[in-house]
Amino acid sequence: MSKAKSISVIGLGAMGTALAGALIDTGNTVTVWNRTPARADALAARGASRAETVTEAIAASDVVILCLTDYPAVDATLADLGAAMAGKTIVNLTNGRPDEVRAIAARLGEQGARYLDGGIMATPPMIGTPHAFILYSGDRAAFEDAEALLATFGQSHYLGEDPTLAAVSDLALLSAMYGLFGGYLHATALAGSVGFTAKQFLPLVEPWLAAMMTALPDYAERIDSGEHARDVMSNLQMQSVAISNIVAASRSQGIDPAFMEPIERLAKKRLAAGFGNDEASGIIEAMRGK
Ligand SMILES: NC(=O)c1ccc[n+]([C@@H]2O[C@H](COP(=O)([O-])OP(=O)(O)OC[C@H]3O[C@@H](n4cnc5c(N)ncnc54)[C@H](OP(=O)(O)O)[C@@H]3O)[C@@H](O)[C@H]2O)c1
């Protein structure tokens, strides 16, 4: 496919504006629509065509990008547009759940559209740089046809035909991110209870987290093999003492231990099941209900 294409972007919040901007900057013909029309002004000044209605935005291009707050917003935006969808490739980059993805994929499929779901692993300023990566799943031929266009946003990872793959992987990656940020915030609050400012604590917490990230390949190996008891260096019995100390010390220091309590509960569940000599990677089995 040639590089310059016609594409519509529906939803011009922080992310939709970045996506449309990247498409304009790479020479594509871009049509935009937003519920609040004023949000299209800056993009129109950069060369985008402004659609007056959603129907007009969809009619303008074969590939339509959706980037809205949530799936109810997508449903509200696409309601009553059945006939307009035939032959279109809809790329929905809105954060959502697998049940929501299944429902919209089925509905748009019945309306004759090709559906791609996506998860954006980037912030708006990262769009169009090599640091952004975007997960896609759904109609394979639609992805292959739009691949060059979608590469405008960053690295594309097509995960497979099941349309829910991107959304679940997106939520999984965000879960890792919130775990990291939540842990950092809890740590900084606890260190702050004895007088450290966040900036003073940063030179300790940043290299510590970087060092701990190197454990992930070993954890992945253990998780896939189920061998949490092999070559144990930091057993769960020992680690659970530290985890419970974190919860108790947080409380006595006036810090809400809510972020750490679930991991304490899961570690105790695993200990009670007799896995105290295992590596802490085995906590995943407690998460899986085993
Ligand atoms: N920003 C990020 O860092 C980031 C990163 C990765 C993924 N994402 C994903 O990108 C998507 C959009 O995020 P954003 O940051 O662009 O959010 P945002 O700045 O809050 O913009 C939300 C967009 O949704 C529209 N919208 C909300 N409810 C609507 C409705 N009922 N009908 C029609 N339009 C509606 C808004 O229109 P109005 O202007 O009319 O309110 C606006 O265009 C989300 O799913 C988010 O998870 C964002």
Side-chain angles (χ1 to χ4, degrees):
M1 101 182 241
S2 69
K3 276 202 171 147
K5 285 281 167 187
S6 171
I7 186 160
S8 295
V9 179
I10 292 175
L12 305 174
M15 186 53 84
T17 295
L19 298 172
L23 290 165
I24 293 168
D25 291 347
T26 45
N28 297 287
T29 302
V30 181
T31 300
V32 293
W33 181 86
N34 193 61
R35 178 182 61 176
T36 306
R39 277 183 122 166
D41 290 352
L43 290 165
R46 288 167 67 184
S49 300
R50 189 200 294 267
E52 296 301 323
T53 62
V54 185
T55 312
E56 204 179 298
I58 289 170
S61 313
D62 289 340
V63 179
V64 178
I65 305 276
L66 291 164
C67 191
L68 302 170
T69 303
D70 54 20
Y71 276 61
V74 173
D75 287 340
T77 302
L78 299 186
D80 307 324
L81 291 176
M85 294 298 178
K88 302 293 177 182
T89 292
I90 305 297
V91 186
N92 185 11
L93 301 180
T94 302
N95 187 283
R97 305 186 307 262
D99 57 311
E100 296 176 313
V101 174
R102 256 180 234 113
I104 194 173
R107 198 168 68 249
L108 290 177
E110 283 163 14
Q111 293 170 352
R114 301 193 298 179
Y115 184 72
L116 273 178
D117 201 89
I120 303 173
M121 309 317 300
T123 57
M126 290 162 69
I127 295 299
T129 75
H131 304 295
F133 72 94
I134 308 197
L135 312 173
Y136 297 98
S137 58
D139 192 303
R140 184 181 296 275
F143 175 76
E144 286 169 0
D145 288 349
E147 195 171 359
L149 195 57
L150 299 175
T152 305
F153 302 142
Q155 293 178 47
S156 302
H157 295 277
Y158 176 75
L159 303 179
E161 293 265 5
D162 175 347
T164 66
L165 290 172
V168 175
S169 304
D170 180 357
L171 294 177
L173 290 173
L174 290 177
S175 154
M177 180 190 80
Y178 286 120
L180 182 76
F181 285 167
Y184 163 73
L185 293 172
H186 183 95
T188 302
L190 188 54
S193 74
V194 288
F196 289 101
T197 65
K199 280 192 178 161
Q200 287 168 337
F201 187 54
L202 193 62
L204 298 178
V205 70
E206 206 174 13
W208 169 245
L209 287 178
M212 288 302 98
M213 294 286 274
T214 63
L216 294 189
D218 176 59
Y219 265 42
E221 184 83 34
R222 292 173 186 278
I223 291 164
D224 284 348
S225 65
E227 292 178 6
H228 302 292
R230 177 183 46 80
D231 301 329
V232 174
M233 281 182 294
S234 309
N235 72 60
L236 186 60
Q237 177 73 49
M238 173 278 289
Q239 295 210 48
S240 73
V241 173
I243 293 169
S244 290
N245 280 342
I246 294 167
V247 172
S250 298
R251 228 172 252 130
S252 65
Q253 292 292 109
I255 303 301
D256 186 336
F259 184 79
M260 289 300 298
E261 282 169 334
I263 201 78
E264 182 189 36
R265 179 175 58 76
L266 290 162
K268 281 185 173 165
K269 188 177 163 191
R270 189 79 180 146
L271 278 186
F275 296 103
N277 290 325
D278 281 17
E279 200 57 68
S281 54
I283 288 175
I284 196 170
E285 309 298 352
M287 288 173 170
R288 287 169 164 163
K290 291 180 190 163

